Amino acid sequence: MIKTYLLLLLLFSISSSYAQQEIINESDLDPKVVLYIAPLSLIDFFDGPSIRYGTDIKLQNKLSFSLEAGNYLPSNQSVKINSSGYLIKPEIKFRILENKYNTQYLGIEYQYKQQSYDFKDSISINDGPNFEKQYSMKRKMNCISLKYSFVEELGEKFTFTYYFGLGIRFLKSSNNLSQEENDGILDDEFHGGTQVESLIRPIGTINTVNISIGIKFGYILF
């Protein structure tokens, strides 16, 4: 899966660079194709570590396009145990401020995520003795966000970006526990339950606010 995304991103960037050549001759716009990585995703203890990479492309009329993809990595350091899956995030951005050294964007981002992971809980069925069980969970997410980005050029070939996004996400979540086991989950503080786990554990259809904050390091390809 990761090789497929990398190939698609590279082909998209190269094809876009040829299409941009006509723009250079027709306007004063300085189009750029930037390949980037999002390093903070490697230490995400809430959602699980992942490798995220993408491309930013300047277009005409103050518009830019971004495409990000990622793959989750197995880890026992996250609340989500042995997480696996992928995500993809296309974004249309409008340049609200631009000068020689930095550019600010306001954009609309769509995100699709599919993820599987294990989870541990203490369970008691019909007031019987407690037992701990590790079980599997699956999640699919669709998300729409309004996103602000600040991009600073570091010399001639590198960029640094920080961003903030606010939107709504639509989750579908399931696990492989029986109904009795789900009803018997002991999620209070006495049994080690936390606020973070209460956000990850629920199954069914869940709609909630989505907040995203991060940084990206980029290399100017064209």
Side-chain angles (χ1 to χ4, degrees):
M1 184 67 71
I2 188 171
K3 292 181 179 179
T4 302
Y5 281 135
L6 286 171
L7 180 60
L8 288 174
L9 288 171
L10 181 60
L11 291 175
F12 185 80
S13 299
I14 293 174
S15 64
S16 298
S17 69
Y18 285 111
Q20 294 289 346
Q21 296 304 314
E22 295 183 1
I23 301 175
I24 296 176
N25 297 327
E26 294 175 0
S27 70
D28 295 330
L29 180 64
D30 180 22
K32 292 183 176 70
V33 176
V34 179
L35 301 180
Y36 67 81
I37 59 171
L40 293 184
S41 64
L42 290 170
I43 54 173
D44 190 337
F45 298 108
F46 176 76
D47 199 34
S50 62
I51 298 176
R52 300 193 187 185
Y53 41 86
T55 183
D56 283 322
I57 301 169
K58 282 189 175 181
L59 305 174
Q60 298 186 68
N61 302 322
K62 296 187 178 295
L63 290 178
S64 293
F65 176 76
S66 176
L67 179 64
E68 181 177 320
N71 289 80
Y72 286 94
L73 304 173
S75 173
N76 291 321
Q77 303 303 313
S78 170
V79 178
K80 298 179 177 179
I81 304 169
N82 294 326
S83 177
S84 64
Y86 66 93
L87 61 87
I88 186 167
K89 301 197 296 183
E91 179 188 2
I92 293 293
K93 304 188 292 185
F94 181 78
R95 293 191 291 277
I96 56 177
L97 183 63
E98 182 176 25
N99 57 45
K100 184 178 179 180
Y101 302 103
N102 57 69
T103 308
Q104 298 179 48
Y105 295 92
L106 195 62
I108 297 293
E109 178 187 81
Y110 166 74
Q111 179 181 178
Y112 175 78
K113 178 173 72 175
Q114 185 169 310
Q115 188 180 24
S116 300
Y117 53 91
D118 287 349
F119 204 73
K120 283 184 179 180
D121 266 317
S122 294
I123 298 174
S124 174
I125 299 177
N126 297 325
D127 296 324
N130 301 350
F131 61 94
E132 185 178 73
K133 183 170 183 176
Q134 181 168 319
Y135 56 94
S136 299
M137 295 195 69
K138 293 183 179 181
R139 275 192 166 186
K140 292 182 179 181
M141 183 187 79
N142 291 277
C143 178
I144 296 290
S145 296
L146 182 65
K147 189 173 174 182
Y148 167 81
S149 303
F150 182 95
V151 182
E152 183 174 0
E153 294 190 11
L154 306 176
E156 296 183 355
K157 279 295 184 180
F158 297 96
T159 64
F160 171 75
T161 302
Y162 65 83
Y163 62 85
F164 171 82
L166 181 64
I168 184 169
R169 55 182 168 178
F170 308 91
L171 291 168
K172 288 187 177 180
S173 181
S174 62
N175 63 34
N176 65 347
L177 294 178
S178 67
Q179 186 61 52
E180 281 187 331
E181 290 173 323
N182 274 306
D183 293 339
I185 290 176
L186 304 171
D187 56 1
D188 54 44
E189 293 183 4
F190 180 77
H191 294 94
T194 66
Q195 184 65 33
V196 171
E197 291 176 343
S198 68
L199 297 175
I200 298 173
R201 181 186 297 108
I203 58 175
T205 300
I206 307 161
N207 302 330
T208 185
V209 172
N210 187 77
I211 298 175
S212 58
I213 301 173
I215 62 173
K216 299 186 290 188
F217 289 102
Y219 175 78
I220 300 173
L221 189 62
F222 299 103

